Amino acid sequence: MELLNDMALFVEVVKARSFRRAAEAMGMPNSTLSRRISGLEKAIGLRLLHRTTRKIELTEAGQLYFERCKRIVEEARLAHEQLGEMLAQPSGTLRASLPVDFATIYLAPLIAEFARRYPGISFDFDLTPRQVDLVSEPVDVVIRMGEPANSNLIARKLTSLRRCLYASPRYLELFGEPGHPADLARHECLRLRTAKAHSWTLSSGNERVEVEVGGRFQLNSVGMIRRLASLDLGIGVLAEGIAADDLASGNLRRVLPQWYAQPIPVYALTETRLLPAKTQRFIEFLREQLEDADSSPVAAAFRNFSLAH
């Protein structure tokens, strides 16, 4: 325990770049702090800091030790914070990166309810598809659709979204309605930009087929695929909740209604398993609310949620 305390003192000295400022911030004598850090260096057997009259600088060993200590001290602090916040309402700013279409359609009503439950939490959301570096950026959690590419992150599955094929009535009137997945080869298909953009895997009961698809449009936005499909430009694969409003208004129709595209998983990604209460509660809340999304009519569930709130 004494070693962990000295590691925490070392981290504070490095952050302050001064024994005096660190001692003042922690409310302890400068001489005591200096003696503790000297004792730490002696126990390790390596010099961690170069001391001069004006400033301190990290040695090579000190830089390595600081990077390790910083994470250990932060996780110890979070462990204590989690225990304390079990008895209190979590607070602070929750910083999250969210996929824009999923956030707008699925998460918005859930976030509204979560905000009502936890008035002490503020929110800072980034709704862009860019890659987020959870190590260097001040982001608490990233919500992403599809299997995680970075195996170094902690991935918690929130749900799996059922997906169907949709087109506008006008498109089907002009170009005909496919009767079998093989017919999609003769249609304009609005494709999501992925490694398998030129093929769709479809299932009906125990039957499963992979069909080659093509078309003029390849995009990285599900919302844009929905919009272009409603504007008579082709057939798109969409999660049921994404297409629900256009389906209800008649702007879109199900195509090959007995067939389903591969469901898409949704994950919450974090750098560590040890999370502050605000982040832990947010992930748990989303998982509870979304857990049945792969086995029930998602759109109806979300419409009912919105009407009830």
Side-chain angles (χ1 to χ4, degrees), residues 36-268:
R36 294 281 292 273
I37 299 302
S38 296
L40 179 64
E41 290 177 317
K42 188 175 297 184
I44 294 173
L46 290 169
R47 181 172 290 280
L48 302 174
L49 298 169
H50 290 304
R51 300 167 174 82
T52 68
T53 55
R54 292 188 176 184
K55 61 180 180 178
I56 61 169
E57 293 182 351
L58 286 167
T59 64
E60 183 178 354
Q63 181 66 47
L64 176 63
Y65 194 64
F66 172 69
E67 294 298 328
R68 298 292 179 88
C69 288
K70 183 171 63 172
R71 177 168 294 189
I72 291 170
V73 169
E74 177 66 11
E75 293 200 349
R77 183 188 66 77
L78 290 176
H80 283 275
E81 179 185 314
Q82 276 192 321
L83 292 175
E85 288 182 338
M86 287 176 67
L87 303 176
Q89 286 277 29
S91 60
T93 300
L94 176 67
R95 296 177 173 84
S97 173
L98 312 172
V100 60
D101 301 310
F102 180 74
T104 303
I105 300 295
Y106 289 90
L107 296 186
L110 301 185
I111 290 170
E113 174 61 21
F114 184 80
R116 283 189 284 266
R117 290 192 188 186
Y118 300 102
I121 297 179
S122 300
F123 301 89
D124 185 350
F125 291 150
D126 177 8
L127 276 71
T128 58
R130 69 181 182 85
Q131 294 291 327
V132 175
D133 187 346
L134 281 166
V135 177
S136 63
E137 295 186 54
V139 177
D140 299 303
V141 59
V142 172
I143 307 297
R144 287 293 180 263
M145 304 174 75
E147 294 297 335
N150 189 340
S151 60
N152 294 323
L153 299 177
I154 307 303
R156 298 168 176 83
K157 188 174 181 180
L158 300 178
T159 188
S160 182
L161 301 178
R162 190 164 61 179
R163 299 188 299 162
C164 309
L165 283 76
Y166 299 91
S168 70
R170 177 63 175 163
Y171 174 86
L172 297 175
E173 179 184 329
L174 291 173
F175 300 102
E177 189 159 350
H180 187 272
D183 298 336
L184 292 171
R186 299 192 296 272
H187 282 268
E188 283 285 335
C189 294
L190 306 170
R191 295 161 295 132
L192 197 62
R193 188 188 301 156
T194 66
K196 298 188 67 176
H198 297 288
S199 67
W200 288 348
T201 301
L202 304 176
S203 302
S204 177
N206 294 324
E207 189 177 358
R208 177 182 167 120
V209 298
E210 184 169 334
V211 294
E212 294 295 316
V213 294
R216 292 183 295 161
F217 292 96
Q218 186 171 307
L219 312 98
N220 68 347
S221 167
V222 174
M224 189 63 170
I225 289 177
R226 177 190 62 81
R227 187 75 177 115
L228 294 181
S230 70
L231 291 172
D232 316 325
L233 288 174
I235 298 173
V237 171
L238 299 168
E240 290 177 306
I242 299 290
D245 287 343
D246 282 316
L247 191 66
S249 66
N251 290 330
L252 290 177
R253 274 175 43 193
R254 280 283 304 274
V255 176
L256 297 170
Q258 302 304 315
W259 293 85
Y260 294 88
Q262 286 183 300
I264 187 166
V266 182
Y267 286 90

Side-chain angles (χ1 to χ4, degrees), residues 2-13:
E2 184 177 358
L3 175 61
L4 182 59
N5 289 335
D6 288 345
M7 289 166 65
L9 295 178
F10 171 70
V11 169
E12 292 303 318
V13 169

Side-chain angles (χ1 to χ4, degrees), residues 10-23 25 56:
F10 171 70
V11 169
E12 292 303 318
V13 169
V14 175
K15 286 182 177 179
R17 293 289 178 180
S18 163
F19 277 94
R20 179 181 56 78
R21 287 195 295 270
I56 61 169

